[in-house]
Amino acid sequence: MHALRLRTAMNTALTAKNALKQQNQELLERFSAGESVTALVSQRCRFVDELLIAQWQAHQLDETPIALIAVGGYGRGELHPQSDVDLLFLIQGALAQSDEAKLSQFIAFLWDSGLEVGHSVRTLDETIAQGKADITIATNLLEARLLCGPQAMFNTLYDKVREGDFWPASDFFVAKRDEQVMRHAKASAFDLEPNLKSCPGGLRDIQTITWVAMRYFDASCAEELVAHGFLEQDELEELLECQGYLWQLRFALHLISGRDENRLLFDLQRQVAELLGYKDETQLAVEQMMKRYYRTVRRVMELNQMLLQLFKRATLGHTKELEIQPIDEYYQRRGSFIESLQADLFKDPVEIMRVFLHAARNSNIKGIYAPTLRSLRRARRALQAPLMDNEDCRKVFLEILRHPRGIASLSLMHRHGILSAYLPAWRNIEGQMQFDLFHAYTVDEHTHRLLLNIDRFSQTEQKDEFPLGSILINQLPKKGLLVLAAIFHDIGKGRGGDHSKLGAVDAQDFCDLHGLNKHDGRLVSWLVENHLVMSVTAQRRDISDPDVVAEFADRVRDAVHLSYLYCLTVADICATNEKTWNNWKGSLLRDLYFSTQRVLARGKEKPVDIRARVREHQGKAKKELLRRGIKEKSLDTLWQRFKADYFLRHQPNQVAWHAEAILKHKHDEALVLISKHTTRGGTELFVYSQDKPKLFATVMAVLDNKNINVHDANIMTSKDGYALDSFVILEQDGSPVSQISRIQGIKKALVKALSNDTAKLPKFKKLPRKMKPFRVPTQVSFLPARKPGTSMMELIALDSPGLLAKVGDIFYRCEITLLAAKITTIGERAEDFFMLQTRDGQQLNETQQEALSEALAKALDTHNQV
């Protein structure tokens, strides 16, 4: 549409707004039809150009000494459907009142038409002064483009911005590099809801390369870098390909959200994937889309690192020479980088591996020098077969694996795509994500972080965080076997089927190919197949039950397998997301480790004596209580009311704590205790009260209202009908509940709630935004129960607000008694275990199981419809 038509057709802001909406609809249709996003971004920019020019004339601003200049992304000629329109109004001096009024009316028109306008009104001197003071303003000015107004004014600005003293190329490079470092520190390239512009490997990283080039070469676009010999043609094509995909995502995101949204939020990801044409297959459509996204940003990060290092050498090399130390006839260390001395060295595939072996052997090497990296990238693309098919490469890989700093080199191999060039199965998991709230990283990045965690166990400063791991890691016969198991533990994901079994087969084949002995190969394969067993046992089974520990010991077989598995399990949990690991889980795993170690040392012929354990716990608790002045007769009378299970499930210090408080409690109201010291890394909550209907549901409702997480529950009743309920609770961030005011508030709320006989549950908080895209159908299954007269139920459901309170309410309505619970939250999923029995102390029959399953599914699935 020409400017004249726009001027006549859009004489009101409403008609302009409708025209912009109509154009967005047209862009949506053309985008859906597969038209190039590059063309659509340019078309959107031209449309806005024409609108602004038409309105500039309509408001008679073409008769004023004002230059209308597009800056920033708009200045580059790139405009996504909802992007900001950044404008500079360049003036010669103070505006006449009439001109100022026209300009104000023009800006108001743009806002009323629905455009997001960022603008400034400055003289030339003000513009240059602010540009010199602010790198962001300086960058925007580099991309300035005249839309209307005096050409001479714009030319003067253009020339001033390109003068050497405006921003010297070296200063500009340092400022943009520092800006990028700060931006990267705020986010990860592998965020679940990444920001397409600012995340590492995002659009800003591509633009940073262009900006630095513009300043150094006075280039107007990335294509000019090829002519300057700074960028190779294939690198340019790769950059443009990556930018094109990120543009597709951003364009679709703007169209779907209807706003300038650059974050791929969970509630938008499915729609974006659908608009881009992805379909659910073995992997979900959204997982396929995100897989390509994560692979794309990794490519951008590598190119960005290489090109900025080349710029650094060009702009700062003459002032900051790096120390050079020879390594051998083929390599040298330049500063903290390894550099090859022959341009065609990597034509021999073994040399690709030797780079990383040298990095393992030299702790001063942190990266690869840019010219060497360029050669390595070229060699990587030219490979015709996996590096592990080469026998000499396999020998070098095993040297890296066995080296004390081998993990640092594996990390470098991963960063530069050599791990996938070596191991084809690794390529399959690169960028592989799972659409949930539990796995915060792609499979390859999670595994990479797991390897780094194994390395951390060996570091002295980590002994406080991982006290057992830091001991065991140095006692393992061959640490390299643990590293191999880590590499393969999730390598089967994304194929369908049990990834642990698939990975175990891959690991065994790998070990055979690399000539490991049969014992070592079987150990690695066993670790991969069983890498989840210890975590599941500790978090979802009752590890105070000797039978549970004995069964786990049977699976582990010996102390060596146990030590390897413990190290792999802890490193795995810590690498899943930043919030998963806490002292509670650490304590559970340590307890399971030592319990299993005792079983293995004792052997099968000496089972645990249950009665002896009860007497031992009572004896130790009594000794402490008598020392505190508690009368033995009162204590014996109290304990006669308790069942043996109580003493089995609590340690002597807990038994003493409970007993002293109960004997001193003289009130009719419930007794609520909250420990001052952590129990298994959490805070213990103990409730003693005459048993009443829905007691569990009431306690859960109060804790949910207080934003408290429950991880463990022992629900017991004394012989005379008193509740002896223990819970392990944590704050939302996984820390123990420790603030005195917080503890007092929880106690007060619980006592008040337990004194109220109302059967009605309170209203719970709404489902958080992040949870809304997820559907977790309620699944109820009954497992074999070891304890006679009980039933073991597993519940999988959406972890919605008030979940446990609702479950407790259903138990009450179905006349079911809860004996114990293990509460596990995995992202958006609750995977909880409950030990149940009927009101008359029997296990649930099939009819009762079906009725309970139906009631839970109906209540929880209905609640979670959003």
Side-chain angles (χ1 to χ4, degrees), residues 61 78 88 109 150 249 269 285 313 371 543 551 587 712 726:
L61 285 161
E78 302 166 2
L88 167 64
F109 183 95
L249 292 171
Q269 286 178 12
R313 187 173 69 161
I543 60 174
E551 182 183 315
S587 178
D712 199 33
S726 292

Side-chain angles (χ1 to χ4, degrees), residues 227-295:
H228 286 287
F230 184 78
L231 194 64
E232 296 186 352
Q233 184 62 36
D234 58 344
E235 294 167 351
L236 171 65
E237 291 170 1
E238 186 174 1
L239 264 181
L240 294 178
E241 178 193 338
C242 292
Q243 177 180 268
Y245 186 65
L246 294 175
W247 272 10
Q248 281 186 307
L249 292 171
R250 190 180 182 209
F251 203 88
L253 200 52
H254 280 206
L255 290 172
I256 288 167
S257 66
R259 60 181 184 270
D260 185 15
E261 181 59 79
N262 294 305
R263 294 171 302 160
L264 266 174
L265 301 173
F266 281 124
D267 44 338
L268 299 174
Q269 286 178 12
R270 288 185 186 274
Q271 299 171 67
V272 172
E274 183 180 347
L275 183 55
L276 293 181
Y278 289 95
K279 306 291 183 186
D280 287 345
E281 295 172 358
T282 303
Q283 296 174 15
L284 295 175
V286 66
E287 291 177 350
Q288 297 171 53
M289 177 187 75
M290 296 304 293
K291 184 171 189 174
R292 184 173 174 190
Y293 164 77
Y294 290 121
R295 286 182 170 184

Side-chain angles (χ1 to χ4, degrees), residues 9-239:
M10 299 188 202
N11 52 6
T12 70
L14 180 59
T15 54
K17 177 180 284 191
N18 289 335
L20 286 165
K21 287 182 179 178
Q22 183 179 344
Q23 206 241 355
N24 275 348
Q25 182 59 37
E26 179 187 333
L27 292 174
L28 172 60
E29 292 168 3
R30 291 165 63 184
F31 184 73
S32 301
E35 189 167 337
S36 163
V37 69
T38 304
L40 297 177
V41 166
S42 297
Q43 170 61 29
R44 170 70 175 178
C45 184
R46 287 195 298 272
F47 186 89
V48 173
D49 280 357
E50 292 170 356
L51 170 61
L52 264 60
I53 292 168
Q55 290 306 315
W56 188 261
Q57 296 169 354
H59 286 79
Q60 300 178 349
L61 285 161
D62 53 334
E63 302 170 3
T64 65
I66 306 174
L68 173 60
I69 299 172
V71 293
Y74 181 39
R76 288 194 300 273
E78 302 166 2
L79 209 55
H80 287 261
Q82 301 293 335
S83 291
D84 289 352
V85 176
D86 293 325
L87 300 172
L88 167 64
F89 300 103
L90 192 61
I91 59 177
Q92 292 178 333
L95 288 175
Q97 192 170 353
S98 59
D99 291 343
E100 190 172 340
K102 291 176 184 177
L103 186 58
S104 296
Q105 290 169 8
F106 173 76
I107 295 170
F109 183 95
L110 298 183
W111 276 105
D112 292 343
S113 67
L115 288 174
E116 294 290 330
V117 179
H119 73 278
S120 57
V121 182
R122 301 191 190 107
T123 64
L124 177 64
D125 290 344
E126 289 170 342
T127 302
I128 295 301
Q130 292 195 29
K132 286 182 176 181
D134 189 320
I135 187 63
T136 302
I137 295 174
T139 306
N140 284 342
L141 292 174
L142 279 175
E143 300 172 312
R145 179 169 57 91
L146 181 66
L147 294 174
C148 294
Q151 182 72 48
M153 286 179 65
F154 175 77
N155 290 345
T156 304
L157 173 67
Y158 183 93
D159 293 339
K160 286 279 188 183
V161 166
R162 280 154 182 80
E163 288 179 357
D165 65 345
F166 177 66
W167 267 93
S170 57
D171 294 348
F172 188 82
F173 166 78
V174 171
K176 297 310 290 185
R177 181 198 61 190
D178 293 348
E179 184 182 71
Q180 178 172 289
V181 169
M182 291 177 63
R183 175 165 48 80
H184 285 188
K186 296 177 182 177
S188 163
F190 307 99
D191 283 345
L192 290 173
E193 295 183 310
N195 187 306
L196 300 175
K197 284 180 67 176
S198 61
C199 274
L203 288 166
R204 277 282 182 262
D205 281 11
I206 297 175
Q207 291 160 356
T208 296
I209 295 168
T210 307
W211 289 328
V212 172
M214 290 175 72
R215 190 63 195 149
Y216 185 72
F217 293 117
D218 194 20
S220 60
C221 60
E223 285 83 349
E224 291 185 35
L225 297 182
V226 177
H228 286 287
F230 184 78
L231 194 64
E232 296 186 352
Q233 184 62 36
D234 58 344
E235 294 167 351
L236 171 65
E237 291 170 1
E238 186 174 1
L239 264 181

Side-chain angles (χ1 to χ4, degrees), residues 808-819:
D809 186 56
I810 296 298
F811 289 160
Y812 167 72
R813 295 178 188 279
C814 292
E815 299 186 346
I816 301 297
T817 299
L818 173 64
L819 300 177

